[in-house]
Amino acid sequence: MAGPTDDVVRELLVRRLDAWGPAALHRSKRACFLQAYGGPPGDLPAASLRVFDEFTDMLRGRRLTALVVAPSADELRPALDAVHRELDSPSGLAIHAMPGSLDAVPVAVKAASAAGAPILAYLDASTGGPPSPAALAAVATGNPAELMLALGPAARSGFDHRVALREARFPLVADVDLVAGQVTLLVAFATGSDRSLEAFKDAMWAVDEYAGVHYRDPRDPEAHLLDISLRPHPGPLRRGLLAHLASAGALSVTDLRRFTVTETVYRSSDANPVITALLAAGLVTRSPMAGRLSGDVLIAPAAGAAGRRSR
């Protein structure tokens, strides 16, 4: 991977690892963190492994396998060995580099004996083609399994990542475009856990702002660029909720919060303020008409609102 979006990807991966590692080691006596790259990985493999310094004390009596698959695996080994030494070489941590690309993921999962154990995988297709169905299915053999996926323009061409991830039995998917000038990289996160999905969204909006890098909702027809902020601009969410209501009819606040976290770049907590603003603008109605905006309140498009524009 190379480009101005690197720092955002690195921070997203490190934040997810920081949350995943202790939970995985608490849950199981073995776990696997797998990284696989379709092209040169740069310094991301070593940088991401340094997060293990935060919980090496949890490795006693457990086994965490960190496996890096890359075309330049031989060149990576000195840097990975250096990280292992920096972490005081904990006996429960095994770091390996394996030559190959994304197609080698099924072999890597088998070699790590990772099936049935917690797996967090990062698959980098920022250059080259997308991961195969077999690669996604191999990651999904984890219990539980989580996957962070980076897709460059070539990998996205003709590849519907949401369909592919759901066919691989990842029921929950979040995604966002990272845009920096002419560079666009899609980052997707797939999981079976509502809590993990929410945590990824929280981390996504909590990363540091990087000059020239913006977020974009892949499904926003207006392709609005968003600053990375704890309080993101609500415009794309307003449009998304109105379009969803126009298509589906009346929905509960709970339904709209669910739509927000699974089908937009926003967090579920962003839904209520936007719904409140839509009510104030007369673009939607609620039932019952008064009281707290609780999960069972029904929200419906207001009569004549279809022709009115929401910004």
Side-chain angles (χ1 to χ4, degrees), residues 44-174:
L44 183 55
S48 61
L49 293 176
R50 290 189 176 93
V51 76
F52 293 152
D53 185 52
E54 300 296 325
F55 46 86
T56 53
D57 58 316
M58 298 184 64
L59 289 168
R60 188 176 296 108
R62 285 166 169 74
R63 183 75 169 175
L64 176 57
T65 301
L67 184 58
V68 181
V69 180
S72 54
D74 290 341
E75 299 173 12
L76 285 174
R77 286 192 177 95
L80 299 182
D81 289 343
V83 170
H84 202 210
R85 290 192 296 272
E86 287 176 29
L87 302 178
D88 293 329
S89 304
S91 60
L93 175 63
I95 300 176
H96 302 290
M98 172 180 166
S101 62
L102 301 181
D103 290 338
V105 168
V107 175
V109 170
K110 185 175 181 180
S113 300
I119 295 177
L120 172 61
Y122 171 68
L123 305 187
D124 189 302
S126 55
T127 58
S132 66
L136 300 178
V139 175
T141 62
N143 182 26
E146 294 186 0
L147 170 61
M148 186 171 154
L149 176 64
L151 297 172
R156 295 178 70 172
S157 179
F159 178 69
D160 190 325
H161 61 283
R162 283 186 160 251
V163 170
L165 288 166
R166 284 169 179 158
E167 287 180 347
R169 299 187 178 180
F170 286 101
L172 300 173
V173 179

Side-chain angles (χ1 to χ4, degrees), residues 170-256:
F170 286 101
L172 300 173
V173 179
D175 52 13
V176 62
D177 281 332
L178 308 185
V179 182
Q182 300 302 308
V183 176
T184 300
L185 183 73
L186 183 139
V187 175
F189 177 72
T191 180
S193 164
D194 289 279
R195 180 176 295 181
S196 293
L197 186 70
E198 292 276 10
F200 179 79
K201 284 292 188 72
D202 288 340
M204 196 181 90
W205 289 107
V207 301
D208 293 333
E209 294 185 51
Y210 292 94
V213 181
H214 296 86
Y215 286 158
R216 184 176 64 202
D217 192 325
R219 284 164 300 287
D220 178 12
E222 297 191 18
H224 186 96
L225 294 181
L226 298 164
D227 292 333
I228 301 174
S229 168
L230 288 173
R231 294 187 176 182
H233 189 283
L237 181 55
R238 289 166 64 97
R239 293 191 294 273
L241 289 178
L242 284 173
H244 187 49
L245 285 165
S247 173
L251 294 169
S252 70
V253 170
T254 295
D255 292 333
L256 293 175

